[in-house]
Every structure is written in structure tokens, then in C-alpha cells.
Amino acid sequence: MPNVKFRACRRTLTSHAGLSIIGQCFEIAGVDSIDSRFPTTLGMRTSDVIKSYLGLLCLGMSDYDAIENFRRDKPFQQLLTLQNDLTQ
């Protein structure tokens, strides 16, 4: 078994760093363009709702209620390039 070394750092570590690839796929697919066709809902952009739900699906969570665990998770919001803050 290999030796594992741990060291302290000031960076925020998250278990869902793979979402950066998903965020890039959203950018390539032009998910933000959906906002011009569908109105915003309660201050949240439609594309943010879609991106956050697909991000949850990629993490193995099938209910949108799981977004409550990510409302204050800045890496989740940054990796998926969400425009609005989920704390609303």
C-alpha cells in the first residue's frame, strides 16, 4: 500500500471538482442561451436552475431538494458558472 502524505493548505478542497468539466460542457452547449426563450423564475435564471439540477444529477442526487446542501457551496456555484447566488 502506498504512503499517503497530508499537508495543510489554504485552498478549499471539494469532492466534486469533476464538475468543472460539466461546467465547460454547459458553456460549449450554450445552456445560457435558453434564458432568452424562457422567463426567469422567482429571480433565478432558467439556465441556473438547469445547470444546478444537472450538477446534482452528476453527483448522484436525483431530487432537486438536495440543492439545499449546496446553497452556500461556492465551488459548486463557480464550477457550474452559476450567475445567481443559490442563497436566494
Side-chain angles (χ1 to χ4, degrees), residues 16-25 79-80:
H16 46 270
L19 289 178
S20 63
I21 296 170
I22 301 302
Q24 290 175 0
C25 289
L79 291 170
L80 295 178

Side-chain angles (χ1 to χ4, degrees), residues 66-85:
I67 199 65
E68 293 299 323
N69 298 327
F70 296 95
R71 285 199 185 274
R72 302 213 188 298
D73 191 349
K74 290 296 179 189
F76 182 83
Q77 296 173 17
Q78 291 171 347
L79 291 170
L80 295 178
T81 61
L82 301 177
Q83 299 296 321
N84 290 346
D85 191 8

Side-chain angles (χ1 to χ4, degrees), residues 15-77:
S15 64
H16 46 270
L19 289 178
S20 63
I21 296 170
I22 301 302
Q24 290 175 0
C25 289
F26 291 155
E27 189 174 321
I28 292 169
V31 174
D32 289 331
S33 67
I34 200 167
D35 293 328
S36 63
R37 292 181 289 194
F38 296 99
T40 57
T41 54
L42 301 173
M44 288 291 291
R45 293 174 31 163
T46 304
S47 61
D48 283 352
V49 174
I50 291 170
K51 287 192 261 184
S52 60
Y53 183 61
L54 290 174
L56 291 173
L57 286 176
C58 290
L59 294 173
M61 300 172 195
S62 60
D63 290 330
Y64 194 73
D65 287 341
I67 199 65
E68 293 299 323
N69 298 327
F70 296 95
R71 285 199 185 274
R72 302 213 188 298
D73 191 349
K74 290 296 179 189
F76 182 83
Q77 296 173 17

